[in-house]
Amino acid sequence: MMEWVRPSVLRKLGILGMNGRNVDYIGRYNDRRLYPLVDNKLKTKELALKHGLRVPELLGFITYQMEVKEVRRHIPEGEGFVIKPAQGSGGKGILVILSHDGERFTKPSGEQIDLAELKRHVSNTLSGLYSLGGKDDVAVFERLIEFDDVFEGYSFEGVPDVRVIVYRGYPVMAMMRLSTAASDGKANLHQGAVGVGIDIVTGEAVNAVQFDRPVTHHPDTDKHLHSLKVPHWDEILEIAAGAFDMTGLGYLGVDVVLDKKRGPMLLELNARPGLAIQIANGEGMLKRFELIDRVADTSRPPEERIAYSKEMFGNEER
């Protein structure tokens, strides 16, 4: 049976709820005119490149239905790739292809689709089936990330990523999202990916959940999740903190992937990041937000903001 908890109790525990997120943080610190910078993946990629940040390689994009017949020109020969709706959210519409022979395309689950099905997916993307508000969209083709060997066994047939919540330019909380068979190779918690809370100071795992329930091992590989340590951690925090300066958004989810050859890369930004990161960390964000509000100096350079976050939010402070 589900147990109901009063909002006052959750607030006392430092848990940020949906209404509080929408009114007190998104509504207050995210100017709606800035949303297009993060709601459109093509614009985000362009902005990141302008600021000298690495991003996954763009293979091309399709804007109009008449272009769907030319889909092959955006597909790398013999290599994996990803198709994303430029204005999608929550992992909807992301098609991950591990390998192909030009006619049959293999998904992380092992399921194969043919070229006609792939074209149909692109057509549905353009029609807005997966986009915010159901408006017409663009299908973005990216080269598949070759994830770092250090994550071997932590993720199942998919690329793991790091989500960092940044508040007023300060990294507040982080987690790693690990794909599973249930999530079909996508690092999306609502679809069954594993969320691993990450210590802001060390980049080490502190807790892990799947479908909001605690887990200790990856459900498909049996890898012990608490042994996870994210490499290039300081660089990831620099990307996350810099995203505030890049966009001007005060409440932001920053997603970073680690490529085996290219290192950390900005995957995408989210102006309305979800709250499951609190469950993954076993801790609420409100008290951390309150500490940052006491500092309230967003003009400090990224390295100083990161230093403050490390000083205040490390695992040893719990």
Side-chain angles (χ1 to χ4, degrees):
M1 180 180 294
M2 180 180 293
E3 296 184 8
W4 296 96
V5 180
R6 293 192 304 275
S8 58
V9 174
L10 293 176
R11 190 169 187 88
K12 186 175 181 181
L13 293 172
I15 304 297
L16 176 63
M18 190 69 72
N19 290 339
R21 181 201 71 161
N22 294 343
V23 176
D24 299 331
Y25 296 99
I26 294 178
R28 184 176 181 183
Y29 293 106
N30 288 356
D31 190 328
R32 291 192 66 86
R33 67 183 176 82
L34 299 175
Y35 280 22
L37 298 177
V38 299
D39 283 349
N40 188 305
K41 293 178 177 62
L42 281 176
K43 290 185 177 181
T44 301
K45 191 181 291 286
E46 182 181 70
L47 184 64
L49 290 172
K50 182 178 178 180
H51 283 77
L53 297 180
R54 291 189 298 270
V55 294
E57 182 183 348
L58 177 66
L59 297 171
F61 56 91
I62 291 178
T63 306
Y64 304 107
Q65 292 287 354
M66 61 182 295
E67 299 175 315
V68 174
K69 61 185 177 182
E70 301 175 6
V71 69
R72 287 182 186 273
R73 65 191 179 98
H74 301 304
I75 297 173
E77 186 175 350
E79 295 183 40
F81 61 94
V82 180
I83 302 176
K84 302 177 180 179
Q87 300 177 81
S89 66
K92 296 176 182 177
I94 296 178
L95 178 62
V96 179
I97 299 298
L98 292 183
S99 61
H100 70 94
D101 61 7
E103 297 297 332
R104 305 294 299 179
F105 299 83
T106 304
K107 298 167 62 176
S109 63
E111 177 190 355
Q112 289 191 328
I113 61 175
D114 59 22
L115 185 61
E117 290 175 281
L118 189 140
K119 288 181 177 179
R120 186 157 50 249
H121 180 84
V122 173
S123 180
N124 287 338
T125 299
L126 300 184
S127 67
L129 184 62
Y130 313 114
S131 66
L132 291 165
K135 52 191 173 184
D136 289 350
D137 210 338
V138 175
V140 180
F141 291 69
E142 290 181 346
R143 193 177 301 278
L144 191 64
I145 300 297
E146 185 179 0
F147 71 84
D148 198 300
D149 291 339
V150 73
F151 298 127
E152 188 67 39
Y154 288 111
S155 194
F156 182 78
E157 298 291 359
V159 179
D161 68 24
V162 177
R163 158 69 60 88
V164 183
I165 297 295
V166 179
Y167 176 55
R168 305 183 72 180
Y170 294 78
V172 169
M173 192 169 281
M175 70 174 169
M176 189 148 211
R177 301 181 295 190
L178 310 174
S179 59
T180 64
S183 69
D184 195 25
K186 301 166 190 171
N188 186 283
L189 299 193
H190 297 296
Q191 296 177 350
V194 170
V196 180
I198 302 294
D199 183 79
I200 283 288
V201 175
T202 64
E204 297 177 348
V206 296
N207 191 54
V209 296
Q210 185 187 31
F211 294 120
D212 295 339
R213 296 184 178 277
V215 293
T216 58
H217 293 73
H218 192 284
D220 303 303
T221 68
D222 203 38
K223 186 80 170 183
H224 191 266
L225 297 170
H226 290 269
S227 61
L228 175 63
K229 181 172 182 178
V230 183
H232 308 291
W233 186 242
D234 286 342
E235 190 174 350
I236 290 172
L237 292 180
E238 289 168 9
I239 291 173
F244 165 75
D245 303 285
M246 189 172 79
T247 65
L249 291 164
Y251 180 69
L252 189 64
V254 182
D255 297 339
V256 179
V257 291
L258 282 86
D259 185 82
K260 183 176 181 179
K261 297 177 181 176
R262 301 182 65 197
M265 293 190 289
L266 177 65
L267 184 63
E268 60 183 71
L269 302 173
N270 194 320
R272 314 167 193 79
L275 302 171
I277 193 169
Q278 299 176 108
I279 301 173
N281 278 271
E283 184 176 354
M285 290 191 289
L286 281 176
K287 293 180 181 178
R288 299 189 179 196
F289 288 168
E290 290 166 1
L291 285 172
I292 290 171
D293 284 336
R294 293 177 195 172
V295 180
D297 185 359
T298 58
S299 66
R300 299 168 77 178
E303 57 268 22
E304 290 186 14
R305 302 196 302 263
I306 292 170
Y308 180 82
S309 293
K310 283 188 170 187
E311 178 185 353
M312 301 306 295
F313 307 140
N315 191 36
E316 67 273 8
E317 296 295 328
R318 302 183 184 189

